[in-house]
Amino acid sequence: GAVVSQHPSRVICKSGTSVKIECRSLDFQATTMFWYRQFPKQSLMLMATSNEGSKATYEQGVEKDKFLINHASLTLSTLTVTSAHPEDSSFYICSCSGATNEKLFFGSGTQLSVL
Amino acid sequence: GENVEQHPSTLSVQEGDSAVIKCTYSDSASNYFPWYKQELGKGPQLIIDIRSNVGEKKDQRIAVTLNKTAKHFSLHITETQPEDSAVYFCAAVSGGSYIPTFGRGTSLIVHP
């Protein structure tokens, strides 16, 4: 399967700081990238969908000014959690799909802990 | 929108036994059904998928069956091993959407 690299795998930060998470598709061009949030023992919650070169589409209830998504190229998308607070602590996962393939390949996830 | 129900939420088996996880979906337009395995602290990994024009697909110890009429699909794991222990998610994708709707997951525990 395709390889999706996500960094960092774990980050601990103080409340009020911003955290950037990177997601790269290493061996294919990702037309669409998805960002998910996952709480312990729960399913994946879609936060937003991003297409290269256009603004991300956010799911209802997800603050676009809080979770900034940039999809600047066909191989890179970033999620920035701005002014993080303890309630933002969660496992964040990106996934990618190609132009004609509905298969989704996931990154390894980022565990964010806000103190 | 699509709604995917997944059962059971927890499944405990002895090594060597078979495990079956079942999912139902609501949207008849869904035509692609992937299954993901998620180990603790990692992202989900695609393990097998099936399209609506196929009734069954097998890959070594893993198989998936699809009943379009009843709108349900199942994951079958034979000869389970301790390394099969993980959370498994089913998903349904509606044609043209490319956005999967996930089930709530099944925690599979394989006892040695």
Side-chain angles (χ1 to χ4, degrees), chain B residues 17-62:
Chain B
D17 289 350
S18 294
V20 180
I21 302 171
K22 297 181 179 182
C23 289
T24 61
Y25 62 100
S26 60
D27 188 353
S28 57
S30 290
N31 58 6
Y32 174 64
F33 307 91
W35 285 88
Y36 294 89
K37 175 184 180 182
Q38 186 178 26
E39 297 177 342
L40 189 63
K42 297 183 179 180
Q45 177 186 9
L46 178 67
I47 57 172
I48 196 167
D49 55 10
I50 191 168
R51 288 186 169 81
S52 58
N53 59 347
V54 177
E56 184 174 355
K57 183 177 179 180
K58 188 174 181 180
D59 182 4
Q60 298 182 340
R61 296 186 297 110
I62 296 174

Side-chain angles (χ1 to χ4, degrees), chain A residues 88-107:
Chain A
D88 299 324
S89 298
S90 189
F91 193 56
Y92 293 88
I93 315 170
C94 70
S95 68
C96 309
S97 68
T100 59
N101 190 341
E102 73 269 81
K103 288 180 188 284
L104 277 191
F105 297 97
F106 286 84

Side-chain angles (χ1 to χ4, degrees), chain A residues 27-64:
Chain A
D27 53 359
F28 71 106
Q29 293 185 327
T31 306
T32 305
M33 288 189 173
F34 304 89
W35 286 95
Y36 291 87
R37 184 173 181 176
Q38 187 178 37
F39 293 102
K41 298 186 178 181
Q42 292 192 21
S43 189
L44 302 158
M45 184 185 78
L46 180 64
M47 299 175 65
T49 304
S50 72
N51 293 294
E52 184 263 340
S54 60
K55 290 184 178 181
T57 301
Y58 290 81
E59 295 299 301
Q60 191 173 11
V62 179
E63 300 176 58
K64 62 180 182 180

Side-chain angles (χ1 to χ4, degrees), chain B residues 82-103:
Chain B
E83 50 266 39
D84 293 330
S85 297
V87 178
Y88 291 81
F89 291 98
C90 64
V93 182
S94 184
S97 164
Y98 301 118
I99 298 177
T101 299
F102 287 92

Side-chain angles (χ1 to χ4, degrees), chain A residues 56-98:
Chain A
T57 301
Y58 290 81
E59 295 299 301
Q60 191 173 11
V62 179
E63 300 176 58
K64 62 180 182 180
D65 295 328
K66 174 76 170 175
F67 300 99
L68 300 178
I69 292 172
N70 184 284
H71 192 163
S73 75
L74 285 172
T75 59
L76 173 65
S77 177
T78 60
L79 167 67
T80 301
V81 183
T82 62
S83 186
H85 291 283
E87 57 265 31
D88 299 324
S89 298
S90 189
F91 193 56
Y92 293 88
I93 315 170
C94 70
S95 68
C96 309
S97 68

